[in-house]
Amino acid sequence: AGPIGVDIDRLTISISSCLEQVKYRTQLIKLTSEMGRFGTPSRKADGPDLFSQINWKMDCANEIRTMYGRPDTLARIAIQTIREFRRSFSGKESVPAPSRAYLIRQLKLPEEVQLLRRTYGRQFILVSAYASEAQRFDLLARDIARSLPTDTPETDIAHKASRLIARDAREETDPLGQNLRETFHLGDVFTH
């Protein structure tokens, strides 16, 4: 789990590298990619820019949670995906593949964490990644700017970055929306 603007790609690579050193292979599960197999979004992104794409992914996650009526829907998708990988590795979905770790990107609701803890017990480890809001804002604004026309005003870019950071922290109006504020502190390990 990590707020938007944290370099989750770098963290994933680092965790994979550490696990490889102790002879574990990793399998990345990107929930935003997997959720499309369990429901079709009702609309397309407003544009190809990063701001539109991120908002669309958040909308899709909220929509699929609403479709299934469960805040832990994306964790259920992760569990199903792990079962499918297990079947391909060991022939049985209930048999863990030896020396295999699954990296789930990324959890945004406490109910997702609770379900994964109930399912996997101590084998589930939540890594919560931190960066200051200023650092996250700078990284996100830079990435948004790269995806927009070069003449986009800095104020527009700053507004988009701020909106995404606020939405990611907690969507007050949607009980099944993003809620990293209540998820982050559930981490077993915290990294900067």
Side-chain angles (χ1 to χ4, degrees), residues 124-143:
F124 171 75
I125 299 168
L126 178 61
V127 177
S128 291
Y130 173 79
S132 72
E133 188 169 339
Q135 290 170 317
R136 292 184 288 118
F137 176 86
D138 289 345
L139 179 66
L140 186 57
R142 185 191 72 213
D143 290 346

Side-chain angles (χ1 to χ4, degrees), residues 172-187:
E172 299 287 342
T173 59
D174 187 346
L176 298 177
Q178 308 292 304
N179 190 0
L180 187 67
R181 185 175 296 142
E182 297 301 322
T183 307
F184 182 85
H185 72 279
L186 299 173

Side-chain angles (χ1 to χ4, degrees), residues 86-144:
R86 282 179 169 177
R87 190 173 332 135
S88 71
F89 299 140
S90 68
K92 296 181 182 177
E93 67 181 36
S94 61
V95 177
S99 301
R100 177 82 55 179
Y102 302 92
L103 302 179
I104 302 168
R105 282 188 51 180
Q106 79 165 313
L107 305 177
K108 294 292 185 175
L109 294 172
E111 293 86 355
E112 296 166 340
V113 174
Q114 292 161 1
L115 176 62
L116 291 166
R117 284 217 167 104
R118 283 194 314 270
T119 303
Y120 298 112
R122 293 183 333 196
Q123 293 175 324
F124 171 75
I125 299 168
L126 178 61
V127 177
S128 291
Y130 173 79
S132 72
E133 188 169 339
Q135 290 170 317
R136 292 184 288 118
F137 176 86
D138 289 345
L139 179 66
L140 186 57
R142 185 191 72 213
D143 290 346
I144 289 170

Side-chain angles (χ1 to χ4, degrees), residues 30-127:
K30 291 179 85 172
L31 290 176
T32 55
S33 299
E34 294 297 326
M35 68 185 177
R37 299 185 309 129
F38 295 88
T40 307
S42 61
R43 65 177 190 83
K44 296 199 179 286
D46 292 337
D49 62 279
L50 185 63
F51 174 78
S52 297
Q53 292 297 313
I54 291 172
N55 258 318
W56 178 74
K57 287 177 183 179
M58 289 179 178
D59 290 344
C60 290
N62 294 355
E63 189 174 316
I64 199 162
R65 288 183 199 110
T66 300
M67 182 175 24
Y68 287 96
R70 301 190 63 104
D72 62 3
T73 298
L74 295 183
R76 291 174 180 278
I77 289 171
I79 291 167
Q80 178 61 36
T81 304
I82 289 169
R83 287 179 177 157
E84 291 167 5
F85 280 125
R86 282 179 169 177
R87 190 173 332 135
S88 71
F89 299 140
S90 68
K92 296 181 182 177
E93 67 181 36
S94 61
V95 177
S99 301
R100 177 82 55 179
Y102 302 92
L103 302 179
I104 302 168
R105 282 188 51 180
Q106 79 165 313
L107 305 177
K108 294 292 185 175
L109 294 172
E111 293 86 355
E112 296 166 340
V113 174
Q114 292 161 1
L115 176 62
L116 291 166
R117 284 217 167 104
R118 283 194 314 270
T119 303
Y120 298 112
R122 293 183 333 196
Q123 293 175 324
F124 171 75
I125 299 168
L126 178 61
V127 177

